[in-house]
Amino acid sequence: MKKTIQAAFAVTLLAPMTAFAAEGAAHAEGKKESLITLYTQGGIVMHFLLICSIAMVWLVIDIWMRTNRPKMTPPEDVATAQDRFRAGDYVGAYQAMKAGVSPYAEVVRAGLSSIGHGKDATEEAIYSTVDKINSTLQTRINYLSVIGVCAPMIGLLGTVAGMKGAFGSLGSTGLSGGVGELAGHIGEVLVATATGLLVAIPAFGSFYFLRNKLQGAVHNLQGECERLFRNAPYEYLQNTDVGQEETYAALPNWIDAPEG
C-alpha cells in the first residue's frame, strides 16, 4: 500500500513536468522529444533538480504518515493509558507507554515520570515533550521550504550557464547558423528553469499544507494528554517514582553516607 501511494504521488508530481517539457519542445521544433532528451538538454543542474524532486516526494510521504492523527495519537495507546489510569495502576501505565513508540506514549511517559513531583512538574514535562515532538517534525517540514527556494535558483543557474554557451557560440559564428538555431538553443536551456519551478511549486504547497496538518495533530495530541491527567491524585502520588528507572545521581563523595 505504501509503495502504491509513493508511486502515485511521484506520477502526480512528474506528470506536469513531462507535459510542460514535451509541449515546449513540440512548439519549438515541431516534433516530440523524449523525457530523457529533455533531461539531457537541461544540463548538469538537472541531476541536482532530480535529487531535489526525489527528496521532496520522500519528505511529503514521510511527514504525511508521521502527522496522521492515528499515528500521533494511536487509539490503542489512548485506550490502554485510560484503562490503567482508571484502575490506579500508574506503574502499569508507565510500563505500557514505555513499550509504545508513538508520540502519545512518549508524552504520557514523560508526564508519569514527573507525576511524583506535583501537578506543575507534570504539566511542564508534558508541554516540553510536546514541544520537542513538534519541533522535530517542523524541522522536517522546513526542508520542503528549503527545496522550494533552492530549486528555482538551481534551474536559473543552469539556464544562465546554457545561455552563456549559446551566446558564446553566436559570438564566434555570427548569425550564419540562422536565428532559428539560436532560438532552439535558448529553448533548450530554459528547460532547467521550467523544471526548477515545477519542483518548487509543489514543494511550497506541501510545506504550508503539512505545516497546518502538523498543528492540528499536535493540538489533538496535547488535548488527549491533558484529558488523561485531569484530576490526577497528585497528593497521593507525592514523592513516588512511578517510572522506577535507575537513578545515577548519588550523594557527593565528600559527604559520608548515613549509617544503617
Side-chain angles (χ1 to χ4, degrees):
M1 182 64 180
K2 182 178 179 180
K3 292 183 177 179
T4 303
I5 296 174
Q6 293 176 347
F9 197 86
V11 170
T12 303
L13 290 177
L14 294 177
M17 184 189 305
T18 305
F20 181 84
E23 183 180 357
H27 284 297
E29 301 186 9
K31 61 179 181 180
K32 294 183 178 180
E33 295 185 357
S34 66
L35 183 60
I36 300 299
T37 302
L38 292 171
Y39 183 90
T40 305
Q41 289 175 354
I44 191 172
V45 298
M46 295 294 286
H47 301 314
F48 297 101
L49 291 174
L50 177 62
I51 294 173
C52 289
S53 179
I54 294 173
M56 176 187 63
V57 174
W58 178 81
L59 282 170
V60 169
I61 295 174
D62 179 68
I63 297 168
W64 176 277
M65 298 180 66
R66 288 175 182 269
T67 55
N68 281 335
R69 290 193 178 186
K71 185 77 173 180
M72 295 276 288
T73 314
E76 58 272 16
D77 286 353
V78 175
T80 299
Q82 290 177 351
D83 290 342
R84 296 289 193 277
F85 269 59
R86 290 192 188 98
D89 185 9
Y90 297 101
V91 175
Y94 181 89
Q95 296 301 326
M97 295 299 101
K98 186 177 179 180
V101 295
S102 66
Y104 177 82
E106 183 178 353
V107 175
V108 173
R109 187 168 64 248
L112 286 171
S113 64
S114 300
I115 200 169
H117 301 288
K119 181 177 180 180
D120 292 339
T122 302
E123 291 181 347
E124 182 179 354
I126 290 174
Y127 296 148
S128 63
T129 307
V130 170
D131 288 341
K132 183 182 73 173
I133 293 171
N134 180 58
S135 177
T136 301
L137 293 174
Q138 186 62 54
T139 299
R140 287 175 174 264
I141 295 176
N142 289 340
Y143 287 129
L144 289 172
S145 178
V146 174
I147 292 173
V149 171
C150 292
M153 300 300 178
I154 295 173
L156 183 60
L157 177 62
T159 297
V160 171
M163 292 288 284
K164 181 178 180 298
F167 283 108
S169 176
L170 176 64
S172 61
T173 62
L175 291 175
S176 58
V179 178
E181 183 178 351
L182 175 63
H185 286 304
I186 295 175
E188 290 177 0
V189 299
L190 288 176
V191 171
T193 298
T195 304
L197 291 173
L198 288 169
V199 172
I201 292 172
F204 272 124
S206 300
F207 167 75
Y208 288 107
F209 176 79
L210 292 173
R211 186 185 64 176
N212 294 337
K213 186 172 184 288
L214 173 62
Q215 290 177 353
V218 168
H219 290 160
N220 180 68
L221 169 64
Q222 183 171 318
E224 286 291 344
C225 293
E226 289 176 345
R227 190 160 66 96
L228 180 67
F229 283 88
R230 185 181 298 123
N231 297 327
Y234 294 103
E235 62 276 10
Y236 295 101
L237 294 168
Q238 189 70 29
N239 298 324
T240 58
D241 185 11
V242 173
Q244 296 182 342
E245 298 289 346
E246 181 181 359
T247 56
Y248 300 94
L251 289 174
N253 56 13
W254 61 82
I255 297 178
D256 294 331
E259 297 180 358

